[in-house]
Amino acid sequence: NNQVAPPVSARIPDYACQRHTPLQHHNTKFTDALEILEKYADLRYDDQDYSRALAFRRASCVLKSLSRPLSRLSEIQNVTHIGSHSQKVIQEILEDGTSEEVEKICADPWFQKMKLFTAIFGIGPARAKEFIAKGWSSIQEVRDGCTSSDWRIQWGLAFHEDLTTPVTRAEADYILGVVRRHVDRVLPGAVMELTGGFRRGKQTGHDVDILIMHPLENKIIGALPRLLQSLQSHDIVLCGRHERSTYHEELLTQNTKLSPRGQLDHFEKWIGIIKVPNKIRIKNDQSDKTSSHQLGNNKCNTDMKENKDKCENRNFQSDKNTDSCKRDVGNESVLYQRQEDTLDSGSAISDSLEDVWESLDKASSSSSPSHGNPREVKASQGDWIARRVDLIISPFSQFFYALVGWTGSKQFNRDARTYAEREMNMKLSSHGLYDFNQGKQLVASSEREVFDNLKLPYFEPQDRNC
Ligand code: GTP
Ligand code: MN
Ligand code: MN
């Protein structure tokens, strides 16, 4: 044992938001196994005991940040985030190449059914368990027996194959382009960012997350309904639902408990499904074949395939003095600049908001959030595929916190929020950062400033893949 590498533990910071976590790392055979254990614990033990699942996620997260493949357990034995159960599994994989416990879980029919059912849009673990209790084991049995009137479940079931086919980068770019054209019409001057996994450099995802902002704080009022009307008039939208903003300033300081499945925010958003021409995906599929890579030993074969990643280098540069910031994408540089709002502040805003929502409510009571019968739409499906899209709209003042929040990963956010609370006596959310020591909110006009305010080194989105 005298040739053991220096202890890795000495160099591993406590929080994932303090570590580089690239998408491609050296320890997938361990992290794939640990993430199956995480998923299993999540499905098995529900919300009450999410800590079990989190323990595996934390261990996996540490291994992803190592700069070399783990060769001995002694290298990580004293790392606080790697508990005894995770150590046991890692040891097994070091010795045998696979973990018997993980193999068993992958072969467990209950786990397979739970994964199958929770992959349906709108179905969580509780509903999935009901399906299993009814004796169902296939999507067809759920289609035949499920009577839920929830629009997500109805569309999720009808378009299940579409929605579980990974969304490609080319499709995400296409969707961003389509939304941008409509945004330019209904909200000129708006800034849009592709967030979520794609911004972290992933080549595939389960959906497309788009964050929209306008430098004039009040311009976003009513913009999302107009955007959706515009998209709908071009027959792009399959179904979806608006959620109005539930934000109020007290939320910045309120000591809300971090919810196990990742805290929900209070932005106005649209969650839905849109159509993308098949040719967009097929073009991408062909280029994928040359870059596919081998799956880890303990990877259940039902998992979505991840492709090799190419990251775009996106940088935000801020200029505190002019209250503006620049973003560089290739040779292009976009200036985000706060402008003076022309609308009166105060009651005028809330009045106009009420008007917008009133008309929206009227519209949604006359027509359901979906257009037509999902099964009939599926039966007459043309040369397109259904894709999940999240559109989030943020005021300028919250934009960079929203950008960090919606870029993720979920674990990165969890750790950043815990770090802020425990180490800095601050509260971090997608709406802002409140410093309890100074008794004030800390503004950010770039992503870098969000990290600065937290006294964290800056990490590029592609290093936030925990
Ligand atoms: P794939 O879509 O599977 O590629 O993964 P993803 O990382 O993009 O996950 P997802 O689309 O579920 O969410 C994108 C990011 O936004 C994640 O980091 C989430 O933590 C975050 N997110 C999702 N929903 C919410 C929400 O309601 N509020 C906030 N603040 N963040 C959210
Ligand atoms: Mn996503
Ligand atoms: Mn999403």
Side-chain angles (χ1 to χ4, degrees), residues 150-165:
D150 186 316
W151 68 275
R152 290 172 308 166
I153 298 175
Q154 291 186 351
W155 288 88
L157 280 171
F159 285 90
H160 182 68
E161 290 76 16
D162 286 32
L163 298 178
T164 49
T165 301

Side-chain angles (χ1 to χ4, degrees), residues 17 24 43 73 171 241 279 293 409:
C17 56
Q24 299 295 310
L43 296 174
L73 195 60
E171 288 177 295
R241 191 176 64 192
K279 61 170 191 256
H293 72 283
S409 69

Side-chain angles (χ1 to χ4, degrees), residues 196-197 200 202 205-207 209 263-265 405-406 408 410 413 430:
R200 301 196 307 274
K202 284 174 69 179
H206 93 282
D207 69 353
D209 308 286
Q263 187 144 304
L264 297 184
D265 64 37
W406 277 89
K410 277 192 182 80
N413 292 345
S430 290

Side-chain angles (χ1 to χ4, degrees), residues 210-281:
I210 297 173
L211 181 63
I212 303 166
M213 171 275 271
H214 196 284
L216 287 172
E217 195 95 352
N218 290 331
K219 282 272 191 211
I220 63 169
I221 296 167
L224 195 52
R226 286 201 307 274
L227 171 62
L228 286 160
Q229 243 156 37
S230 181
L231 287 167
Q232 272 160 17
S233 69
H234 284 72
D235 196 29
I236 294 159
V237 176
L238 213 50
C239 61
R241 191 176 64 192
H242 274 100
E243 285 174 17
R244 56 158 97 195
S245 167
T246 52
Y247 178 77
H248 54 94
E249 225 157 66
E250 295 84 80
L251 286 166
L252 274 179
T253 52
Q254 240 166 44
N255 211 0
T256 42
K257 248 192 119 208
L258 291 177
S259 75
R261 289 183 199 285
Q263 187 144 304
L264 297 184
D265 64 37
H266 302 269
F267 290 115
E268 180 186 353
K269 56 175 84 74
W270 181 81
I271 290 165
I273 303 178
I274 70 155
K275 305 177 190 177
V276 171
N278 281 328
K279 61 170 191 256
I280 305 294
R281 184 182 74 266

Side-chain angles (χ1 to χ4, degrees), residues 327-339:
R327 193 202 72 191
D328 293 325
V329 183
N331 304 327
E332 223 183 311
S333 148
V334 185
L335 186 68
Y336 296 157
Q337 182 138 33
R338 186 196 291 274
Q339 297 164 16

